[in-house]
Amino acid sequence: MKILITGGAGFIGSHVVRLFVQKYTNYHIYNLDKLTYAGNLNNIDDIAQSPNYSFIKGDIADSNFIIELFKKHQFDGVIHLAAESHVDRSIESPMDFVLANVVGTVNLLNASKLIWGESATDKRFYHVSTDEVYGSLGKEGFFLEDTPYDPKSPYSASKASSDHFVRAYYNTYKLPVVLTNCSNNYGPNQFPEKLIPLFLNNIIENKALPVYGKGENIRDWLYVIDHARAIDIVFHQGINGETYNIGGFNEWTNIDLIKLLCSIMDRKLGRSTGTSEQLITYVTDRKGHDMRYAIDASKIKNELNWMPSVTFEEGLEKTIDWYLDNKDWLNNVTSGDYQKYYQEMYDTKG
Ligand code: NAD
Ligand code: DAU
């Protein structure tokens, strides 16, 4: 099997690439990544020399390049993770999200259809998506696979659009697709623009912790390795045309989570209790900030026997230890352009 994984130098993609390269030594894994600010080959340097692994630098929004790539390698499967992934950036630059997430996905669908033909049976196009396509919940209820789409941010609108194209290619051309919509991931190698690594980095550096609004928004958190395990299971056992929601059964208000991070960091850094909490600073809310995401993951649990393997406490400990043990990684990704990004994003929030 020749498997193309897109976005394999990013956060989740790097964990998926590692899992597949190590577990399926009879597959050849091709990792296609543009290496944007979020792509980092250091994330996978431990498997870079594996005989069943190749890295390809390229842009999924470049249709000619994608067609030539598919003609050359004749992939049997695609696991598509490459995307612009940060909501705040989508609010500033929506078109980047249209190009990467919508145009990029349609290019991959077209190339798969060209190489596999219509109604292929022994191939698989796996599209990795997000729970944000379902919109925002109030206090009650959960997102199910048939919850109507109601994306609210340019990021989630671009992901929703890509999901619709994937389903349209299944319906129209019988392309053998499968989709998953997952909740918030956390773990090693996450770029420190997202809540958990950003706040850990700021605590280490004694910088303000910018809580949007009142910190009352709710997210469901899943350890990234458990997402990678789910992707493995769905890629191999999922049913064509089906969607599976993936979640951690683990809802937290931002402020409670932030206080937990502060207390663990105080302990690990040998600071007295309450030190890091003093860094909490309430800032202007994210525009159009979704209040609550909550996934009902019973379909993947009941039909494919997947469940998270680590508790949130275990996952957070592992995650925090990783960032503390990998300060070089953090320093590398927060030097240069990151400083400019941080100023532009946060100086205006007050
Ligand atoms: P990330 O931003 O860490 O990584 C994205 C990767 O895609 C980077 O390596 C980047 O270089 C690459 N990329 C971006 N544009 C590209 C292009 N035009 N061509 C080729 N490569 C390109 O993202 P992530 O958090 O790892 O998310 C991966 C996928 O999972 C995304 O599709 C995202 O929507 C989805 N997802 C993420 C989460 C989460 O909590 N992070 C949750 C659910 C779903
Ligand atoms: O739900 C899945 C989605 O989770 C993925 O599809 C996205 O790619 C991923 O980025 C994530 O989106 P969120 O917007 O939920 O994640 P983020 O880490 O940006 O923010 C989490 C919560 O924390 C959110 O309510 C906003 C808040 N926040 C975030 C940042 C960066 C703050 O209060 N302050 C901050 O500085």
Side-chain angles (χ1 to χ4, degrees):
M1 281 253 263
K2 292 177 166 192
I3 311 291
L4 176 70
I5 299 182
T6 70
F11 167 48
I12 302 169
S14 62
H15 291 281
V16 175
V17 164
R18 178 176 300 101
L19 177 68
F20 273 69
V21 166
Q22 291 180 342
K23 183 169 174 185
Y24 300 107
T25 48
N26 54 331
Y27 294 0
H28 196 97
I29 305 302
Y30 296 83
N31 173 11
L32 167 64
D33 199 295
K34 186 182 173 183
L35 299 182
T36 67
Y37 76 93
N40 183 348
L41 286 177
N42 290 334
N43 291 348
I44 32 164
D45 53 11
D46 56 323
I47 51 99
Q49 302 308 322
S50 305
N52 64 333
Y53 170 77
S54 307
F55 176 71
I56 302 158
K57 185 171 187 301
D59 186 347
I60 55 170
D62 179 344
S63 60
N64 290 333
F65 163 75
I66 292 295
I67 296 281
E68 292 310 312
L69 189 74
F70 274 66
K71 281 185 182 163
K72 180 174 173 193
H73 293 292
Q74 303 281 323
F75 304 117
D76 300 295
V78 176
I79 304 178
H80 174 36
L81 295 110
E84 287 292 338
S85 68
H86 192 39
V87 173
D88 291 326
R89 289 185 192 254
S90 83
I91 294 166
E92 298 305 315
S93 314
M95 193 52 81
D96 293 347
F97 287 68
V98 175
L99 291 174
N101 300 359
V102 185
V103 176
T105 302
V106 178
N107 281 338
L108 292 167
L109 290 166
N110 276 338
S112 303
K113 176 166 85 68
L114 180 80
I115 301 303
W116 298 342
E118 296 191 15
S119 307
T121 50
D122 56 346
K123 311 291 182 199
R124 171 134 282 179
F125 187 102
Y126 182 159
H127 180 61
V128 175
S129 192
T130 171
D131 60 358
E132 299 197 14
V133 298
Y134 298 121
S136 179
L137 290 165
K139 283 196 169 41
E140 303 291 319
F142 294 91
F143 296 136
L144 283 155
E145 284 78 2
D146 60 359
T147 299
Y149 273 31
D150 189 18
K152 306 274 191 197
S153 73
Y155 164 68
S156 53
S158 69
K159 291 295 292 188
S161 171
S162 65
D163 293 10
H164 288 320
F165 271 104
V166 173
R167 293 195 182 99
Y169 274 60
Y170 173 71
N171 184 62
T172 311
Y173 310 112
K174 303 288 173 279
L175 198 75
V177 309
V178 67
L179 298 89
T180 50
N181 294 78
C182 187
S183 62
N184 287 58
N185 285 212
Y186 69 96
N189 304 99
Q190 188 169 29
F191 192 79
E193 61 187 352
K194 310 278 165 59
L195 181 75
I196 290 182
L198 184 136
F199 277 41
L200 294 179
N201 188 44
N202 284 14
I203 292 171
I204 293 169
E205 296 193 348
N206 266 310
K207 279 169 64 175
L209 303 177
V211 180
Y212 295 167
K214 295 181 182 161
E216 288 170 349
N217 306 69
I218 294 174
R219 298 291 183 267
D220 167 42
W221 294 93
L222 177 68
Y223 192 51
V224 64
I225 306 272
D226 278 327
H227 189 186
R229 284 179 49 247
I231 288 173
D232 177 14
I233 292 170
V234 172
F235 181 75
H236 290 98
Q237 298 169 39
I239 293 171
N240 282 342
E242 290 290 313
T243 295
Y244 302 86
N245 282 350
I246 307 172
F249 304 93
N250 179 38
E251 288 182 56
W252 286 78
T253 63
N254 290 341
I255 194 64
D256 286 347
L257 170 57
I258 290 160
K259 287 182 177 169
L260 178 62
L261 292 180
C262 288
S263 72
I264 303 177
M265 287 297 273
D266 282 346
R267 169 164 56 80
K268 301 238 179 221
L269 295 171
R271 296 177 181 168
S272 54
T273 308
T275 308
S276 300
E277 268 197 33
Q278 288 168 15
L279 297 169
I280 290 176
T281 311
Y282 291 91
V283 300
T284 309
D285 208 354
R286 174 183 279 173
K287 287 179 190 159
H289 196 171
D290 288 340
M291 181 46 77
R292 173 170 168 254
Y293 306 142
I295 279 280
D296 180 336
S298 21
K299 178 175 174 181
I300 187 170
K301 178 171 169 258
N302 296 337
E303 294 184 12
L304 300 180
N305 207 17
W306 171 90
M307 275 288 283
S309 68
V310 293
T311 64
F312 194 43
E313 290 70 25
E314 289 164 346
L316 266 190
E317 283 281 329
K318 284 173 196 268
T319 301
I320 291 174
D321 287 344
W322 188 86
Y323 285 97
L324 290 173
D325 292 343
N326 289 276
K327 291 217 184 89
D328 286 351
W329 184 93
L330 260 182
N331 290 338
N332 274 341
V333 300
T334 54
S335 61
D337 283 352
Y338 182 84
Q339 302 298 335
K340 192 165 163 267
Y341 159 79
Y342 199 88
Q343 263 173 5
E344 284 174 4
M345 196 58 77
Y346 289 96
D347 279 5
T348 51
K349 290 189 190 292

